[in-house]
Amino acid sequence: MGYSKEQLLTRLKELHIEFEQHEHPVVMTVEALEKHVGHSNGALCKNLFLKDKKHRFYIVSALADTKIDLKILAQRLGFGKTGLRMAPQESLAEILQVPLGCVTPFSLFNESARGVSLLLDQGLRIKEQCLFHPLSNDVTIAINASGLDKFLNSIGKPPVYVDLEDNPPVGKDQPPDLAYAVPSDGLIAPDNLEKSAASVVPEKKGHAAADTKPEVKAKTAKEASNLKKGSSSNSQGLATTFNDPKNLLKKSLERYQMWFFLRSTMRTSPNMAINLVL
C-alpha cells in the first residue's frame, strides 16, 4: 500500500516546505485542472510516465506548454527512436502506487518507485510556483522549485533539470547527453537493501573467502595428523597439476581415451568391459 496524500502533506510540513493547497473535483487532464486552479499563481504542469525496452521507468515533469518529442528523448537517453513509450496503466499501481491521472514527482515518495528516473523541465525553475497533485487528483498543491528540490533530496532523489525541447545530435563522436539519467539494471528495493548487505560475508583482506563446506573434525590426534598430511599432499598435487599445463592436458587426454575405449567395448563386448573396470 502506498502513502496517502495526507501522509505526503504531513511530510512536506515536517520539512518546513511552503505550499498552497487547492481542493477540487477529480480531474484527469491539464485542461480540466485549469478550470479549478487557473486563477492561482502556479504554473500548470504535465507529467509523463514512460518505460524503455528493458522495463526501466521514467517520470518526465514539464510545464504544460513544453513540447516533448519521445523519439528525440529516446535518442538522448541512448535507446534509438523507438526505445521509449508510455508505461502501461497497470504499472501505475505496481510501481508508482497511484491512480490514473496522479503521476507527478511526488509519486517517488513511495518505496516501490525509488528506482524510477525523474527528468524535470528546466522551465520549472523560473516559475514562482508549479502545480502538482500530491498522490491524489482531487487536490493540487502550488510549490516552488526550491521546495520541490528539498523534498526530492529528502527521499534520496536529487533533482535533474534538463532542456526537454533540445535536440542535440547523437552519433559516434557525440554520445547521448541524457544517458546518465538511465536507471541502473537490477536495482535492489530500499527495504531489501539492508537484508542483502547483511547476507554478504565480507572477505578478509589478503585471504580467500571462507569455504562453505563443513569442516571434517578428527576424533584422535593420529587422524588429525593424517588429515593434515592428506590435505597438504592434495594441495601440492593440485598445485603441481595446474602449474604444469602440459601435464594437465596429458592426463585429460588419457582419461578421455579410456572413457572412449570403455564406451566402445561396452557395445561390442560387455563382459570384457566389466573385467577391465574391475
Side-chain angles (χ1 to χ4, degrees):
M1 180 67 68
Y3 286 110
S4 66
K5 64 182 178 184
E6 289 80 13
Q7 290 174 308
L8 173 60
L9 296 177
T10 297
R11 174 62 66 86
L12 295 179
K13 292 175 183 177
E14 291 173 348
L15 294 170
H16 303 290
I17 296 174
E18 296 183 359
F19 62 90
E20 294 178 6
Q21 183 172 334
H22 304 278
E23 297 187 6
H24 50 74
V26 171
V27 293
M28 301 299 295
T29 64
V30 174
E31 292 76 14
L33 178 61
E34 185 176 14
K35 296 178 182 179
H36 301 285
V37 298
H39 61 281
S40 70
N41 295 326
L44 293 167
C45 300
K46 58 185 175 184
N47 302 272
L48 307 179
F49 186 38
L50 308 173
K51 175 184 177 183
D52 67 24
K53 291 181 177 180
K54 293 188 177 181
H55 305 288
R56 295 170 297 201
F57 295 90
Y58 309 78
I59 290 178
V60 178
S61 296
L63 295 174
D65 56 358
T66 296
K67 296 179 181 179
I68 302 175
D69 188 320
L70 292 187
K71 291 182 180 180
I72 294 175
L73 183 58
Q75 286 183 308
R76 295 178 66 185
L77 289 166
F79 308 138
K81 293 183 178 180
T82 60
L84 201 61
R85 59 185 176 183
M86 299 299 292
Q89 186 174 335
E90 54 267 24
S91 297
L92 289 171
E94 296 173 1
I95 307 297
L96 301 185
Q97 297 190 40
V98 296
L100 185 64
C102 298
V103 177
T104 72
F106 294 114
S107 304
L108 300 179
F109 189 37
N110 289 314
E111 295 288 341
S112 57
R114 296 298 170 83
V116 177
S117 183
L118 173 66
L119 292 176
L120 298 166
D121 184 358
Q122 66 178 13
L124 298 175
R125 305 182 77 175
I126 62 175
K127 295 297 182 179
E128 184 178 347
Q129 289 182 319
C130 297
L131 300 169
F132 295 106
H133 295 313
L135 305 181
S136 177
N137 52 354
D138 59 354
V139 177
T140 297
I141 61 173
I143 186 172
N144 59 31
S146 114
L148 178 61
D149 293 352
K150 188 174 183 179
F151 166 75
L152 292 173
N153 283 315
S154 76
I155 61 171
K157 297 292 291 188
V160 177
Y161 290 90
V162 299
D163 183 355
L164 293 171
E165 293 186 340
D166 193 13
N167 185 14
V170 176
K172 183 178 179 181
D173 300 322
Q174 296 166 312
D177 67 311
L178 297 182
Y180 65 88
V182 177
S184 300
D185 292 321
L187 293 174
I188 301 175
D191 55 340
N192 292 329
L193 186 59
E194 193 172 303
K195 295 179 182 178
S196 299
S199 65
V200 178
V201 179
E203 183 177 327
K204 292 185 179 180
K205 189 174 181 180
H207 297 275
D211 193 349
T212 57
K213 295 181 180 179
E215 181 183 357
V216 178
K217 295 184 179 180
K219 295 181 179 179
T220 65
K222 184 176 181 180
E223 288 180 357
S225 177
N226 290 336
L227 281 172
K228 185 174 182 181
K229 290 180 181 179
S231 175
S232 176
S233 62
N234 287 339
S235 300
Q236 291 175 359
L238 286 171
T240 302
T241 300
F242 284 104
N243 288 333
D244 187 356
K246 292 183 179 180
N247 188 33
L248 178 62
L249 179 62
K250 181 180 178 182
K251 290 182 178 296
S252 299
L253 183 60
E254 289 174 352
R255 290 175 182 175
Y256 176 78
Q257 290 175 338
M258 176 61 72
W259 172 82
F260 185 80
F261 175 73
L262 288 174
R263 182 182 178 188
S264 302
T265 306
M266 283 292 293
R267 292 179 177 176
T268 56
S269 180
N271 292 332
M272 180 178 178
I274 293 172
N275 290 331
L276 285 172
V277 174
L278 296 176

